[in-house]
C-alpha cells in the first residue's frame, strides 16, 4: 500500500464545467476526492466599492452584472432597499410588472442552469431546447428595456418604462424567406402581454419535453441520485437558500415567508425535495419553472385589465416625464437634479432580500444621508453554496464534482462580485 | 422580541428596532450573545445569512459644500476623498479605519431576522471567529479579512479569498483608493507579468453630497 499516495490536481479556471472562472485544488486518492479547495475571486470587480462612489441610480446597472443570468432579480433587491429606506410606496402596476419579470427571470435562470447542467453530465439536446425558450424570454427583456441581458429596468419608485403595446417582430432578411419570417412572428401580432400569454400557454409542454429527456433517464439518474447529499439541518447551518435549501426538504421561500410586492395575492406552490441530493434539486427546479409560469399567467391577466402608473409620481426620486420636463420649470429642475446629483437617502441601514432563482439575494445598505450608499453589501446566494463544495464533494468521484458544481447553479458574477 | 431583550439583558450595548431588530454587542460578549440567539428554544436563529465588515471612518463626511456658495459659484469641493483622490501626492493614510462587523441571523422556525453589530473600537483588529457556531461563517470571515483586514481569532484557515494571489492591502477600507495602488501588465522584454504603480487618473464624477433637511 505504500506505493499509493494522494495527489493534488488543479481543476480550472479554464474548464468548461467550471461555469466561468472557478479554480479548484483537488486532493485526490485515485479517482476519489479527499478535499476540494475552491479558489475564487478571478472575476472580482469590487462592485460594492464601486457602488460607494456612485449616486444611487447609477448603481442599478452594476446589479445586472452580478448574477448575470438572473439580472432583474438582482435589481429588485437593490431598488427594494432604496424604497425601504425612503419609505416609498410604489404603484400597484409596477409591483405586478416586477413580479412578472422576476418570474420570467427565474425561468431564464433555470433554463440556463438546466441546459448547462445537462451538458456537463452528458446530455446535449436539452441545452438546445432550453435555449430555444430562453430566446423568447430574452425578447421580452428586449421589448421592455432595449437590451437582452443587462436591462436596468427596475428603478426606485417603479420600472423604467411601461409595457409596450406592440411586440417587436422579425424582419425579412437574407437568411430567411417570407414564410419563415411569418412563422417566427406568429405570436408577435399583439402586445407584449399577448406574447407572454402565448409563451406561457406552450411552456408547460416544453418542461414536459425536458422531463421526458431526463427525469426517468437511466444515465441522468446514475449521475445525480445520491450525489451531494445535504441534510436539512446541515443545509441551514451552511447558509443554503433557495432551491438548494428546498431540495433538502426545508420549506423556506421568501415569496411565501416574507412576501414582498404582490406575492401574497398570487397563487403558487413551493416544491420541496426529500433526499437532499442532486436529483431532488433538479426536480425542485423543474417544478419551480411550472410554478413560475402560473405566476406569470396571473400577473399577465391582472396587467391586461389595468392602466395605472408604472412609476411613482414623486419626482424627487423618479424622473418626470419628458413632456412635462419640456414645458414646466419645476420638472426641468427635478430632472436636472436627479441626473446630476441624484437624491439623498435618510440616515440609517436596511437589509432587503428577494427570492432570486439561486436563493436569497440580499442587499445590506448603510446610508449616512448622502447621495451615495455609504456601504453596500451584496449577499449573494451562490457564495455559501460554493463554500460547501468541499463538504459536498468529499468522498465522491472526480466526475461527480462536475455534477455538484452544476447542481449548485454557480455563477461567478455574484460569487466574486 | 421582548424575549430577546430579557435573554440578553446585560450582554448588549444597544438595542434598536429599525428595519429589523438590531443589537450592538461588545467584542467580549459576542460569542455568548450569538450562541444564546442560536441555542434558545424559542428563538433558534440557526442560520447566519450574512457577515460583513463596515469601515465607518468617513461616515457622515461630505465632499461638497451645500450650505454656502463661493463668490464664483465653483469650486465648492471641500476635500478630495480617498476614493477619488485628486493626485498621488495627496497621500491618504491607509492605516486609518473604524471597523465594525455585522452579522445577519435568520430563524427559520420563527421567521425572524436579527442584526448583530460589533465594533472593533480599540486598536486591535482581532475579533472572535464564529465558525464553530455557524458553518457558513467560514468564507464570510475570510472575505472580511481579505477586504477589511479584520482578524478572526479561532478561524483555522484565514486566507485571502477574493483578491489576487500576493495582493497587498485591504481594498474595501475607505482610505484605500478606488483606482487601487498597483496595476499589472505583461512586459514583453522581461517576458513576465509585472506590477507597477497605477497610471490611470482618479476622478470624481459626482461628489458625495449630504443635504440635511
Amino acid at each position: 500500500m505504500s506505493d499509493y499516495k494522494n495527489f493534488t490536481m488543479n481543476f480550472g479556471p479554464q474548464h468548461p464545467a467550471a461555469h466561468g472562472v472557478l479554480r479548484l485544488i483537488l486532493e485526490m486518492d485515485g479517482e476519489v476526492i479527499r478535499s476540494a479547495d475552491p479558489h475564487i475571486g478571478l472575476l472580482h470587480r469590487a462592485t460594492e466599492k464601486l457602488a460607494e462612489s456612485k449616486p444611487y441610480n447609477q448603481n442599478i446597472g452594476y446589479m445586472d452584472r452580478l448574477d448575470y443570468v438572473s439580472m432583474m432579480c438582482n435589481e429588485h433587491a437593490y431598488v427594494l432597499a432604496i424604497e425601504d429606506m425612503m419609505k416609498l410606496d410604489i404603484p400597484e402596476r409596477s409591483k405586478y410588472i416586477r413580479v412578472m419579470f422576476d418570474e420570467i427571470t427565474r425561468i431564464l435562470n433555470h433554463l440556463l442552469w438546466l441546459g448547462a447542467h445537462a451538458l456537463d453530465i452528458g446530455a446535449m439536446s436539452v441545452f438546445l431546447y432550453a435555449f430555444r425558450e430562453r430566446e423568447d424570454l430574452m425578447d421580452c427583456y428586449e421589448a421592455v428595456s432595449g437590451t437582452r441581458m443587462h436591462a436596468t429596468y427596475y428603478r426606485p419608485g417603479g420600472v423604467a418604462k411601461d409595457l409596450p403595446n406592440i411586440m417587436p417582430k422579425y424582419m425579412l432578411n437574407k437568411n430567411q424567406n417570407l414564410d419563415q419570417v411569418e412563422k417566427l412572428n406568429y405570436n408577435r401580432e399583439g402586445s407584449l402581454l399577448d406574447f407572454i400569454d402565448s409563451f406561457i400557454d406552450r411552456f408547460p409542454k416544453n418542461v414536459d419535453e425536458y422531463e421526458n429527456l431526463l427525469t426517468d433517464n437511466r444515465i441522468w439518474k446514475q449521475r445525480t441520485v445520491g450525489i451531494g447529499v445535504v441534510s436539512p439541518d446541515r443545509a441551514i447551518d451552511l447558509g443554503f437558500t433557495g432551491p438548494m435549501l428546498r431540495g433538502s426538504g426545508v420549506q423556506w421561500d421568501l415569496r411565501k415567508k416574507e412576501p414582498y410586492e404582490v406575492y401574497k395575492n398570487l397563487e403558487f406552490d413551493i416544491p420541496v425535495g426529500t433526499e437532499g441530493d442532486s436529483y431532488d434539486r433538479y426536480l425542485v427546479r423543474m417544478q419551480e419553472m411550472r410554478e413560475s409560469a402560473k405566476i406569470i399567467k396571473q400577473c399577465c391577466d391582472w396587467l391586461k385589465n389595468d392602466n395605472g402608473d408604472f412609476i411613482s409620481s414623486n419626482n424627487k426620486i423618479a424622473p418626470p416625464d419628458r413632456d412635462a420636463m419640456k414645458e414646466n420649470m419645476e420638472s426641468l429642475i427635478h430632472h436636472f437634479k436627479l441626473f446630476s446629483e441624484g437624491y439623498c437617502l435618510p440616515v440609517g441601514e436596511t437589509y432587503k432580500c428577494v427570492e432570486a432563482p439561486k436563493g436569497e439575494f440580499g442587499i445590506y445598505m448603510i446610508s449616512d444621508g448622502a447621495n451615495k450608499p455609504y456601504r453596500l453589501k451584496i449577499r449573494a446566494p451562490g457564495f455559501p453554496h460554493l463554500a460547501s463544495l468541499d463538504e459536498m464533494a468529499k468522498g465522491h468521484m472526480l466526475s461527480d464534482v462536475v455534477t455538484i458544481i452544476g447542481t449548485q447553479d454557480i455563477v461567478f458574477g455574484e460569487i466574486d462580485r | 422580541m421582548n424575549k430577546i431583550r430579557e435573554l440578553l439583558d446585560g450582554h448588549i450595548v444597544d438595542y434598536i428596532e429599525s428595519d429589523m431588530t438590531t443589537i450592538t454587542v461588545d467584542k467580549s460578549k459576542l460569542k455568548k450573545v450569538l450562541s444564546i440567539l442560536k441555542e434558545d428554544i424559542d428563538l433558534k436563529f440557526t442560520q447566519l445569512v450574512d457577515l460583513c465588515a463596515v469601515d465607518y471612518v468617513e461616515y457622515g463626511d461630505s465632499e461638497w459644500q451645500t450650505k454656502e456658495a463661493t463668490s464664483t459659484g465653483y469650486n465648492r469641493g471641500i476635500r478630495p476623498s480617498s476614493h477619488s483622490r485628486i493626485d498621488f501626492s495627496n497621500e491618504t493614510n491607509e492605516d486609518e479605519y473604524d471597523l465594525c462587523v455585522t452579522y445577519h441571523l435568520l430563524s427559520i422556525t420563527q421567521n425572524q431576522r436579527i442584526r448583530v453589530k460589533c465594533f472593533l473600537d480599540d486598536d486591535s483588529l482581532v475579533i472572535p471567529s464564529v465558525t464553530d457556531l455557524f458553518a457558513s461563517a467560514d468564507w464570510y470571515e475570510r472575505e472580511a479579512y481579505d477586504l477589511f483586514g479584520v482578524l478572526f481569532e479561532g478561524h483555522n484557515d484565514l486566507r485571502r479569498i477574493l483578491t489576487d494571489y500576493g495582493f497587498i492591502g485591504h481594498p474595501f477600507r475607505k482610505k484605500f483608493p478606488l483606482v487601487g495602488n498597483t496595476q499589472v501588465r505583461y512586459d514583453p522584454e522581461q517576458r513576465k507579468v509585472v506590477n507597477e504603480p497605477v497610471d490611470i487618473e482618479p476622478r470624481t464624477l459626482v461628489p458625495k453630497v449630504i443635504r440635511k433637511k
Side-chain angles (χ1 to χ4, degrees), chain A residues 23-27 35-39 390, chain B residues 139 142 157 159:
Chain A
R23 182 180 172 209
L24 284 175
I25 309 292
L26 299 169
E27 200 195 318
S35 79
D37 178 22
H39 285 204
D390 177 46
Chain B
W139 275 26
R142 281 179 66 186
D157 187 25
R159 285 175 293 155

Side-chain angles (χ1 to χ4, degrees), chain A residues 176-191:
Chain A
Q176 284 149 324
N177 63 32
L178 196 62
D179 274 1
Q180 286 168 318
V181 171
E182 269 175 11
K183 211 173 154 194
L184 285 171
N185 285 334
Y186 84 98
N187 55 0
R188 291 168 192 256
E189 299 302 326
S191 67

Side-chain angles (χ1 to χ4, degrees), chain A residues 65-78:
Chain A
R65 287 151 180 85
L66 288 166
D67 179 357
Y68 45 76
V69 282
S70 40
M71 296 70 74
M72 289 204 194
C73 289
N74 308 343
E75 292 172 23
H76 201 167
Y78 181 71

Side-chain angles (χ1 to χ4, degrees), chain A residues 170-338:
Chain A
Y170 283 97
M171 296 208 302
L172 197 60
N173 58 63
K174 64 181 179 187
N175 297 321
Q176 284 149 324
N177 63 32
L178 196 62
D179 274 1
Q180 286 168 318
V181 171
E182 269 175 11
K183 211 173 154 194
L184 285 171
N185 285 334
Y186 84 98
N187 55 0
R188 291 168 192 256
E189 299 302 326
S191 67
L192 171 70
L193 287 171
D194 295 329
F195 178 74
I196 294 175
D197 241 358
S198 83
F199 176 84
I200 293 304
D201 284 344
R202 77 175 161 92
F203 185 65
K205 281 188 228 92
N206 295 136
V207 182
D208 291 344
E209 269 175 33
Y210 316 140
E211 288 226 57
N212 264 339
L213 288 167
L214 297 174
T215 305
D216 291 323
N217 182 321
R218 190 156 50 102
I219 304 171
W220 180 257
K221 279 183 146 179
Q222 281 168 351
R223 291 300 304 271
T224 55
V225 175
I227 305 294
V229 181
V230 184
S231 71
D233 286 342
R234 195 61 194 153
I236 292 171
D237 197 27
L238 286 166
F240 283 14
T241 47
M244 292 289 288
L245 186 60
R246 292 192 287 275
S248 292
V250 182
Q251 283 180 307
W252 182 262
D253 189 307
L254 297 173
R255 293 174 293 171
K256 287 280 191 201
K257 300 288 179 179
E258 297 173 13
Y260 47 96
E261 309 295 18
V262 290
Y263 277 113
K264 57 183 177 303
N265 306 343
L266 301 168
E267 263 179 51
F268 60 101
D269 297 316
I270 303 300
V272 288
T274 50
E275 305 297 321
D277 59 1
S278 299
Y279 187 67
D280 271 21
R281 288 186 282 268
Y282 153 77
L283 293 176
V284 165
R285 288 191 175 109
M286 294 308 271
Q287 192 55 34
E288 268 183 20
M289 286 202 274
R290 298 176 200 273
E291 298 299 328
S292 289
K294 277 195 223 163
I295 299 174
I296 295 172
K297 178 76 187 153
Q298 293 169 55
C299 291
C300 241
D301 293 345
W302 191 93
L303 285 164
K304 277 185 177 168
N305 300 315
D306 174 77
N307 289 309
D309 287 337
F310 60 91
I311 195 162
S312 161
S313 54
N314 180 350
N315 292 145
K316 301 287 178 209
I317 304 133
D321 75 82
R322 298 293 295 181
D323 291 344
M325 191 191 90
K326 285 176 181 169
E327 279 167 10
N328 136 10
M329 194 64 201
E330 201 185 358
S331 296
L332 182 67
I333 295 169
H334 274 136
H335 186 274
F336 176 74
K337 287 304 272 182
L338 207 54

Side-chain angles (χ1 to χ4, degrees), chain B residues 31-67:
Chain B
K31 285 199 75 167
K32 174 88 184 147
V33 168
L34 289 180
S35 61
I36 292 174
L37 290 173
K38 187 189 172 191
E39 309 292 343
D40 186 82
I41 199 82
D42 294 330
L43 299 175
K44 287 249 171 252
F45 286 102
T46 45
Q47 189 173 48
L48 176 72
V49 175
D50 188 36
L51 184 160
C52 73
V54 185
D55 183 3
Y56 276 100
V57 76
E58 284 178 2
Y59 190 79
D61 294 355
S62 171
E63 292 167 2
W64 195 248
Q65 193 76 260
T66 50
K67 291 247 172 68

